[in-house]
Amino acid sequence: MEISISQQIIPKDFKYFKQISKKFESNIIPHIGDKITDSFFKDPIEYDVVECIIDYQENKCEIFLSPLSVETESEVNYQVDIAKSHGWETLTGGLNHE
């Protein structure tokens, strides 16, 4: 099954975010509450699965992790660059519309 893991990188002021994603093949399907680790993660080294969407017809599973909180908008971009070097890609980004 194709597994897609997504995570938002959000600064403390929560006015701007970027979403990253990484895909892989696995027969193991994560569940809400499971912890996921990756070479990109340093502190903490694992993140909780907060949402899991399974499409059996397409043989795909989308996993959403708890957000990565950073101090500033520039750190968001720094973390995205590091994530890319670990096989992640940028999906979306935008403004929080609160």
Side-chain angles (χ1 to χ4, degrees):
M1 179 172 282
E2 181 182 88
I3 309 288
S4 176
I5 297 175
S6 296
Q7 184 177 43
Q8 288 183 343
I9 303 174
I10 304 170
K12 298 273 186 202
D13 66 9
F14 200 65
K15 292 182 180 177
Y16 172 84
F17 72 90
K18 287 201 176 175
Q19 187 164 325
I20 56 173
S21 179
K22 188 173 190 178
K23 294 180 182 178
F24 57 94
E25 290 288 325
S26 179
N27 292 326
I28 301 170
I29 300 173
H31 300 85
I32 293 172
D34 285 353
K35 301 213 181 277
I36 303 290
T37 189
D38 186 81
S39 60
F40 165 58
F41 305 147
K42 298 298 178 210
D43 186 25
I45 61 169
E46 56 192 26
Y47 284 86
D48 292 332
V49 173
V50 294
E51 188 173 358
C52 177
I53 301 169
I54 301 169
D55 184 338
Y56 288 107
Q57 185 173 352
E58 295 292 325
N59 201 32
K60 294 182 178 183
C61 179
E62 284 191 68
I63 303 298
F64 297 91
L65 302 178
S66 54
L68 169 58
S69 180
V70 297
E71 292 295 324
T72 65
E73 185 177 320
S74 63
E75 193 174 349
V76 169
N77 295 323
Y78 173 75
Q79 292 295 329
V80 166
D81 289 342
I82 292 173
K84 286 180 181 179
S85 73
H86 288 268
W88 293 71
E89 60 185 50
T90 305
L91 287 182
T92 59
L95 298 174
N96 180 24
H97 297 288
E98 288 188 323

